[in-house]
Amino acid sequence: MSNQPALNIHALDTCWPNFSNAIEAFISRLGLSHLQLTCDHAALRVNDTDTASRLADEFATRGRIISNNIINGRPILIIKLNKPLMLGQQAVDCVELPFPGDKHYPQQGWEHVELVLPVAAVDCDALGHALTEQVPDIAQVLSGHTEINVKLSSPRGEHERLPNPTIAFKHRGLCVKIHAHSIETVIASEQGC
């Protein structure tokens, strides 16, 4: 039995200010603040299906599910909020709620935000090149010469037609992901199937 308190929407509301302040500081440390990238969604991590189902029901009172897709073998919901979360002065319109997979997270709750770098990148190399052109100092981070971990991926939903390569920067429990298209644009690409 876990000694973590139950995760619910009230607990997430309480944690958001500290999480968002830490994320803003991490974005600044990465040298991305001046780009004023759109934060299209914030993502949660949960360890059990009951918690994920309960959170889905609770978030349904604050918005609507705009995507329920299978990605890497598990359901991931995208909820468009009626009232956005605020990351500094920026509105964050969507929440990503992945149902648990094989990984157990040491802490449930807010896990990362995703920022949109609007470029025509179809793979991680092109996205990294575009990012380095705008933020030359990030080349050192991308090369693995700092304590910030970098992960490149190209997750795809069952019906997505739009490639959306992703670069994740992780450090001390915080994660900021950069991708080329907003989550709502990717979801719209599913409609073309």
Side-chain angles (χ1 to χ4, degrees):
M1 179 155 196
S2 172
N3 55 4
Q4 282 187 0
L7 184 63
N8 58 39
I9 204 162
H10 176 70
L12 292 171
D13 289 343
T14 301
C15 294
W16 178 258
N18 287 341
F19 174 75
S20 63
N21 288 338
I23 285 289
E24 282 189 291
F26 190 34
I27 290 168
S28 178
R29 180 177 178 193
L30 290 167
L32 303 175
S33 296
H34 76 282
L35 295 179
Q36 298 180 345
L37 302 175
T38 300
C39 180
D40 68 334
H41 69 281
L44 295 165
R45 290 296 178 249
V46 297
N47 287 325
D48 63 84
T49 302
D50 289 343
T51 300
S53 294
R54 186 177 63 252
L55 284 171
D57 291 343
E58 291 176 1
F59 272 108
T61 68
R62 294 191 179 183
R64 62 187 171 83
I65 295 171
I66 60 172
S67 178
N68 182 350
N69 207 344
I70 303 297
I71 300 174
N72 296 330
R74 63 188 174 140
I76 296 185
L77 305 180
I78 304 296
I79 300 111
K80 177 137 186 186
L81 301 171
N82 297 330
K83 180 182 177 189
L85 297 166
M86 295 304 295
L87 181 66
Q89 299 300 310
Q90 185 172 174
V92 181
D93 293 322
C94 295
V95 170
E96 175 186 319
L97 174 57
F99 275 64
D102 297 334
K103 187 173 180 181
H104 183 83
Y105 298 96
Q107 184 169 341
Q108 298 185 102
W110 298 113
E111 198 263 347
H112 70 263
V113 298
E114 299 201 20
L115 307 176
V116 180
L117 179 66
V119 295
V122 296
D123 59 31
C124 292
D125 287 341
L127 183 61
H129 180 72
L131 183 59
T132 303
E133 282 185 343
Q134 295 188 40
V135 185
D137 290 346
I138 206 136
Q140 185 176 7
V141 177
L142 289 169
S143 68
H145 290 101
T146 70
E147 70 280 7
I148 297 169
N149 293 324
V150 178
K151 180 181 176 187
L152 309 177
S153 64
S154 295
R156 292 200 55 153
E158 287 182 316
H159 305 292
E160 288 174 19
R161 292 181 164 196
L162 187 64
N164 201 20
T166 302
I167 301 173
F169 299 97
K170 296 181 180 184
H171 184 63
R172 295 187 178 172
L174 293 174
C175 180
V176 171
K177 295 185 179 185
I178 306 289
H179 53 146
H181 304 287
S182 75
I183 194 69
E184 291 190 69
T185 302
V186 172
I187 291 167
S189 80
E190 298 171 2
Q191 308 308 312
C193 295

